[in-house]
Amino acid sequence: MNSDIKKNRMTDVVLTILKPDGAPLANQEVTVEQTNHKFLFGTAAFDLVPLTSGDYSGEKKELAEQRAKKIAALFNAATLPFYWGRFEPKRGEPITEKVKNAARWSLEHNMVTKGHPLCWHTVTADWLLELSNAEILQAQLDRIHRDVADFKGLIDMWDVINEAVIMPVFDKYDNGITRICKEHGRINTIRMMFDAARETNPTATLLINDFDVSSAYDILVEGCLEAGIKFDVIGIQSHMHQGWWGVEKTMKVLENFERFNIPIHFTETTLVSGHLMPPEIVDLNDYQVTDWPSTLEGEERQAEEAIQHYKTLFAHPLVEGITWWDSSDGGWLNAPAGLLRKDGSPKPAYDELMKLIKGDWWLPPTKIITNINGQIQLSCFSGEYNLKYGGYKETFTVTKEGASNNSQFMIHMKNIEK
Amino acid sequence: MNSDIKKNRMTDVVLTILKPDGAPLANQEVTVEQTNHKFLFGTAAFDLVPLTSGDYSGEKKELAEQRAKKIAALFNAATLPFYWGRFEPKRGEPITEKVKNAARWSLEHNMVTKGHPLCWHTVTADWLLELSNAEILQAQLDRIHRDVADFKGLIDMWDVINEAVIMPVFDKYDNGITRICKEHGRINTIRMMFDAARETNPTATLLINDFDVSSAYDILVEGCLEAGIKFDVIGIQSHMHQGWWGVEKTMKVLENFERFNIPIHFTETTLVSGHLMPPEIVDLNDYQVTDWPSTLEGEERQAEEAIQHYKTLFAHPLVEGITWWDSSDGGWLNAPAGLLRKDGSPKPAYDELMKLIKGDWWLPPTKIITNINGQIQLSCFSGEYNLKYGGYKETFTVTKEGASNNSQFMIHMKNIEK
């Protein structure tokens, strides 16, 4: 696996550093350091909405600030909440400004933002139930146009549709989205939602997302692709409240989607640090407990599984992102799924992921002597880098493409005094 | 359910019977009798191949003849075997003539014929393994062109592709069909097979067929339809070795396919009259037993379940056929799945189905007096009928469309002497 990580994530680059007069900066010590990953190490960051909107005060605010700081130290991507029923509980009164605050905070902290989700049958707006199917569809499309436009520049990545596999057959309760999906079919519903999002923000990264990892999902993806729908990313949830999938199942799931040759995000990754949810539970939402404690033993298991899961996914050439769900304990299902405990302290899994993301898979500030041609050689992860010399700084980007072309980075150190 | 059977299967027709001079045949007793169902009550009839090809002799032949007679008395449709590995075990030497014998026998006994299957990864030809993927694909398409052409007129209904849901991920053993399906994807594979069959016999009835009744199958169907592939019939297997589905599951499965508004066949219906296969078996082929006896209790259960299953399906407007699998005990998996025991004697399920198909759902010879306008009124099942008067006979057909147009059947009783 480590050799796959090297092969799929690292690039050998040669940088040529020139002085202002164009002559090579020969035999000098420069410092190179990574400042960001291209790979998206993300987390559900719903807590940022109340925090950045002034909804917390006192100790609550302090704790939320600490959590946010820890999140930003580890992750470079944030999934922000667009559950329609909560985003626009009363028709015409969306909480756009609040979520914009969270998006701005994320961007300021070098976190790529994603909106989740634009169309889903769960936690959707209750007021849809009073509309006709044609009106529901129009409201859904209007909502996509409005929100994708409102957040353009603040959020340019969207889970456009969530859980379309069960969408038309979802029978736990009546809801507007199941109604329209039943009428129009999955593929046409997906097509309409993607068209709406694409029209409004043509360069956005648009995902289909699902928890279903049976053949049903990859068959749906195949059907959509054959019908001409363009996904930028295939999103795969992996809520493992009932136990870690293990490497074998994870690889099997990946294998089912490899043939499409489309980037993959693991959009919702859960590993609990307490007891496992009983295997007989089919819909995770059915497991309602008042207390689900994080345990010492559970935290060790969670840390080990997190390491294995991230290593497995980071090694796969098509995976371009992993999102942890939730960052702190006590979120969805009251599960001990956080990397942080309720008191904000980091669990072993947090520390272990830090060791990978900002350790093994990261180039810390490193001093290198240029050769006689002003060149240095590096083997580094795709991402953003600083190159420093004296009091000067240049930035550069490393991608896989750079390596495949054996490209050279020409860097002008401006205003260098000999 | 009985009201749905009446609504979906029966038609009120008015027949006007005219004498040779065009005057109505008033106040006369005529006899009407059903001679066939439009609905396909079928069975796997593989045994007809050796029987009609002279492969049996002595007591074996006698038993096979008795079985065939009983099958033809109950059913009006026969599924004939085209498993490639058995149909053409040595490349270039298909057993075309033998299967033609069985097809001819079926047609002579008023049974509609269907070939099963043209493309499947199981029991496929071993010699494919030595070919390249391009050669396998060509051989598969050639096989479809050849067989569909060879049997045109003898077989005009085909299970074109079988079990495409698992086809590309089938991993029990290497085979040529999984290889090409993996390369081309499910939808493209299905498209190529249907195109080949359709080109060769444009008016044939072409089915997609699967055992998978999860969302994966209806999503695959939706994907194919969106991609422009035309299915005449959606085939659903229902091998219930592990227990009858019950009405609720059967209705749920039907509901998943209703939205396509395409005719449905239950292509492979199994109900055992012995112990049930353990529920933990996933691939039915894994259950290998030397003895699986039919029991008294099991036969009663089988009969009751068969009645319920047939009533449920016959009541559904989109279902146009049910095929029993196998007709006699000791076929696939050595299961007591037959309507006939190994000694050829009919089980209660045979008798009960006879009571439905040729009893409750059948018009026996019935005497009716025409009115003054030479008319009789009938409420009858879609199918073929005889009308007799004196020594003369006319035939007529009843379909649902007849009823919806309130059409009248004008029958000239030829050569009637006043």
Side-chain angles (χ1 to χ4, degrees):
Chain A
M1 197 182 300
N2 282 330
S3 68
D4 281 340
I5 288 178
K6 186 162 170 50
K7 191 179 92 189
N8 295 319
R9 297 292 162 206
M10 298 189 80
T11 309
D12 293 323
V13 292
V14 175
L15 304 185
T16 303
I17 305 151
L18 303 177
K19 290 186 288 186
D21 61 4
L25 182 76
N27 304 318
Q28 296 292 315
E29 186 185 85
V30 298
T31 302
V32 180
E33 62 174 346
Q34 188 168 357
T35 57
N36 207 344
H37 275 287
K38 181 170 189 289
F39 192 94
L40 297 175
F41 293 102
T43 182
F46 304 166
D47 198 31
L48 292 178
V49 178
L51 174 64
T52 59
S53 300
D55 293 352
Y56 290 141
S57 61
E59 198 197 4
K60 261 195 150 175
K61 185 180 173 193
E62 212 170 292
L63 273 171
E65 279 170 351
Q66 286 172 16
R67 287 195 299 265
K69 205 176 152 188
K70 288 204 180 74
I71 284 172
L74 177 59
F75 293 119
N76 67 347
T79 297
L80 297 174
F82 282 79
Y83 304 102
W84 203 359
R86 293 177 194 149
F87 187 82
E88 192 179 4
K90 198 173 160 199
R91 189 168 190 182
E93 298 180 15
I95 58 164
T96 307
E97 291 311 314
K98 286 189 168 207
V99 182
K100 276 189 177 176
N101 294 333
R104 266 186 224 103
W105 191 97
S106 301
L107 295 180
E108 284 161 9
H109 290 79
N110 281 322
M111 297 169 91
V112 173
T113 50
K114 188 181 73 170
H116 166 88
L118 289 170
C119 176
W120 191 29
H121 52 273
T122 303
V123 203
T124 191
D126 287 340
W127 46 263
L128 293 174
L129 288 168
E130 289 153 31
L131 308 182
S132 71
N133 277 15
E135 290 166 339
I136 294 170
L137 177 60
Q138 195 54 54
Q140 170 67 76
L141 296 173
D142 289 347
R143 185 259 159 123
I144 293 179
H145 285 300
R146 179 195 63 194
D147 295 341
V148 173
D150 283 351
F151 284 83
K152 206 165 169 177
L154 282 175
I155 297 180
D156 295 318
M157 188 185 300
W158 294 95
D159 287 335
V160 176
I161 195 161
N162 201 33
E163 305 182 357
V165 167
I166 61 162
M167 188 171 277
V169 293
F170 179 80
D171 59 4
K172 295 218 132 191
Y173 46 82
D174 186 17
N175 71 86
I177 306 308
T178 289
R179 287 187 196 168
I180 59 171
C181 192
K182 196 173 276 183
E183 180 181 339
H184 296 280
R186 294 175 178 90
I187 293 177
N188 278 318
T189 303
I190 294 168
R191 190 204 318 271
M192 291 187 285
M193 301 310 143
F194 269 79
D195 283 351
R198 191 79 70 192
E199 280 158 28
T200 314
N201 189 347
T203 58
T205 301
L206 303 183
L207 291 86
I208 183 172
N209 191 45
D210 217 299
F211 76 92
D212 191 307
V213 289
S214 76
S215 287
Y217 186 29
D218 68 79
I219 289 174
L220 178 60
V221 168
E222 183 172 336
C224 289
L225 295 175
E226 289 291 334
I229 300 168
K230 188 181 166 296
F231 306 128
D232 298 305
V233 173
I234 296 169
I236 297 169
Q237 300 178 19
S238 54
H239 293 296
M240 299 177 285
H241 297 77
Q242 293 169 312
W244 178 44
W245 287 356
V247 173
E248 197 182 347
K249 175 173 172 181
T250 307
M251 295 302 288
K252 190 98 191 159
V253 169
L254 286 166
E255 199 185 312
N256 289 343
F257 293 92
E258 278 168 6
R259 67 183 189 277
F260 303 122
N261 201 29
I262 290 173
I264 294 168
H265 286 184
F266 268 59
T267 51
E268 306 177 28
T269 295
T270 302
L271 288 164
V272 294
S273 68
H275 69 263
L276 299 181
M277 187 188 289
E280 64 270 19
I281 304 280
V282 175
D283 184 332
L284 302 184
N285 287 306
D286 290 342
Y287 190 65
Q288 295 288 340
V289 286
T290 49
D291 194 36
W292 193 347
S294 185
T295 64
L296 204 63
E297 187 197 344
E299 291 186 357
E300 276 171 24
R301 188 193 63 226
Q302 183 197 41
E304 280 165 29
E305 292 169 351
I307 293 169
Q308 292 306 312
H309 200 61
Y310 274 65
K311 281 187 174 176
T312 305
L313 296 177
F314 195 56
H316 194 283
L318 283 175
V319 178
E320 298 190 351
I322 315 171
T323 299
W324 188 275
W325 204 273
D326 304 297
S327 48
S328 297
D329 279 0
W332 183 42
L333 301 175
N334 202 19
L339 294 173
L340 307 176
R341 300 187 191 95
K342 281 183 181 166
D343 64 5
S345 61
K347 295 181 192 173
Y350 180 92
D351 298 329
E352 292 300 331
L353 288 185
M354 186 66 88
K355 282 185 208 162
L356 292 176
I357 297 170
K358 296 286 176 79
D360 294 353
W361 302 337
W362 187 258
L363 187 73
T366 302
K367 295 186 195 307
I368 312 173
I369 310 278
T370 60
N371 69 11
I372 194 159
N373 299 316
Q375 292 176 326
I376 57 172
Q377 289 201 352
L378 289 170
S379 182
C380 50
F381 292 88
S382 296
E384 303 294 322
Y385 289 81
N386 282 339
L387 186 143
K388 289 179 182 168
Y389 173 71
Y392 304 98
K393 189 175 85 174
E394 284 283 344
T395 62
F396 62 95
T397 301
V398 175
T399 65
K400 279 313 282 181
E401 291 67 37
S404 59
N405 300 329
N406 196 25
S407 64
Q408 300 193 357
F409 293 81
M410 302 289 289
I411 299 177
H412 268 274
M413 302 297 288
K414 290 182 221 57
N415 307 317
I416 289 178
E417 304 279 327
K418 178 69 192 129
Chain B
M1 196 183 300
N2 282 329
S3 69
D4 281 341
I5 288 178
K6 185 163 170 50
K7 191 179 91 189
N8 296 319
R9 298 291 162 208
M10 299 189 80
T11 309
D12 293 323
V13 292
V14 175
L15 304 185
T16 303
I17 306 152
L18 303 177
K19 291 186 288 185
D21 61 4
L25 182 75
N27 306 318
Q28 296 291 314
E29 185 185 86
V30 299
T31 302
V32 180
E33 61 174 347
Q34 189 168 357
T35 56
N36 207 345
H37 276 287
K38 181 170 189 290
F39 193 94
L40 297 174
F41 293 101
T43 183
F46 304 166
D47 197 33
L48 292 178
V49 178
L51 173 65
T52 60
S53 300
D55 292 351
Y56 289 140
S57 61
E59 198 196 3
K60 261 194 152 175
K61 185 181 174 193
E62 211 169 294
L63 273 171
E65 278 170 352
Q66 285 172 16
R67 287 195 298 265
K69 204 176 152 189
K70 289 205 180 73
I71 284 172
L74 178 59
F75 293 118
N76 67 347
T79 297
L80 296 173
F82 282 80
Y83 303 102
W84 202 358
R86 294 177 194 148
F87 187 82
E88 192 179 3
K90 197 173 161 198
R91 189 169 191 180
E93 297 180 17
I95 59 164
T96 307
E97 291 312 314
K98 285 188 168 209
V99 182
K100 276 189 177 178
N101 295 333
R104 266 186 225 106
W105 191 97
S106 301
L107 295 180
E108 284 161 9
H109 289 79
N110 280 321
M111 297 169 91
V112 173
T113 50
K114 188 182 72 172
H116 166 88
L118 289 170
C119 176
W120 191 29
H121 52 273
T122 303
V123 203
T124 190
D126 287 339
W127 46 263
L128 293 174
L129 288 169
E130 289 153 31
L131 308 181
S132 72
N133 277 15
E135 290 166 338
I136 293 170
L137 177 60
Q138 195 53 55
Q140 170 67 75
L141 295 173
D142 289 347
R143 186 259 160 125
I144 293 179
H145 285 300
R146 179 194 64 194
D147 295 341
V148 173
D150 283 351
F151 283 83
K152 206 164 169 177
L154 282 175
I155 296 180
D156 295 318
M157 188 184 300
W158 295 94
D159 287 334
V160 177
I161 195 161
N162 201 32
E163 304 182 357
V165 168
I166 61 163
M167 189 172 276
V169 292
F170 180 81
D171 58 4
K172 295 218 132 189
Y173 46 81
D174 186 18
N175 72 86
I177 306 307
T178 289
R179 287 188 196 168
I180 58 171
C181 192
K182 196 172 276 183
E183 179 181 341
H184 296 280
R186 294 175 178 91
I187 293 177
N188 279 319
T189 302
I190 294 168
R191 190 202 320 270
M192 291 187 285
M193 302 310 145
F194 269 79
D195 283 351
R198 190 80 68 193
E199 280 158 28
T200 314
N201 189 348
T203 58
T205 301
L206 303 183
L207 291 85
I208 183 171
N209 191 45
D210 216 298
F211 76 92
D212 192 306
V213 290
S214 75
S215 287
Y217 186 29
D218 69 80
I219 289 175
L220 178 61
V221 168
E222 183 172 333
C224 289
L225 295 175
E226 289 291 333
I229 300 167
K230 188 181 166 297
F231 306 128
D232 297 306
V233 174
I234 296 168
I236 297 169
Q237 300 179 20
S238 55
H239 293 295
M240 300 177 285
H241 297 77
Q242 293 169 313
W244 178 44
W245 287 355
V247 173
E248 197 183 349
K249 173 172 173 181
T250 307
M251 294 303 288
K252 189 98 191 158
V253 168
L254 287 166
E255 199 185 311
N256 288 344
F257 292 93
E258 277 167 8
R259 67 182 189 277
F260 303 123
N261 202 26
I262 290 173
I264 294 168
H265 286 184
F266 268 60
T267 52
E268 306 177 29
T269 296
T270 301
L271 287 165
V272 295
S273 68
H275 68 264
L276 299 181
M277 186 188 289
E280 63 270 19
I281 305 280
V282 175
D283 184 332
L284 301 184
N285 287 306
D286 289 343
Y287 190 66
Q288 295 287 342
V289 286
T290 48
D291 194 35
W292 192 348
S294 185
T295 64
L296 204 62
E297 187 198 343
E299 291 186 356
E300 275 170 25
R301 189 193 62 225
Q302 182 197 42
E304 280 164 30
E305 292 169 351
I307 293 168
Q308 291 307 312
H309 200 63
Y310 274 66
K311 281 187 175 176
T312 304
L313 296 177
F314 194 57
H316 194 282
L318 284 174
V319 178
E320 298 191 351
I322 315 170
T323 299
W324 188 275
W325 205 274
D326 304 299
S327 48
S328 298
D329 279 359
W332 184 41
L333 302 174
N334 202 20
L339 294 172
L340 307 175
R341 301 186 190 95
K342 281 183 180 165
D343 65 4
S345 61
K347 296 181 191 173
Y350 180 92
D351 298 330
E352 292 299 331
L353 287 185
M354 186 66 88
K355 283 185 209 164
L356 291 177
I357 297 169
K358 296 286 177 78
D360 295 353
W361 302 336
W362 186 260
L363 187 74
T366 302
K367 293 185 195 311
I368 312 174
I369 310 278
T370 59
N371 69 12
I372 194 159
N373 299 315
Q375 292 176 326
I376 57 171
Q377 290 202 352
L378 288 170
S379 182
C380 51
F381 292 88
S382 295
E384 303 294 322
Y385 289 81
N386 282 340
L387 185 141
K388 290 179 181 169
Y389 173 71
Y392 305 97
K393 190 176 84 174
E394 285 283 343
T395 62
F396 62 94
T397 300
V398 174
T399 65
K400 278 315 282 181
E401 290 70 37
S404 60
N405 301 330
N406 195 26
S407 64
Q408 299 193 357
F409 294 80
M410 303 288 289
I411 299 176
H412 269 274
M413 302 298 289
K414 291 181 218 60
N415 307 316
I416 290 179
E417 304 278 328
K418 177 73 189 120

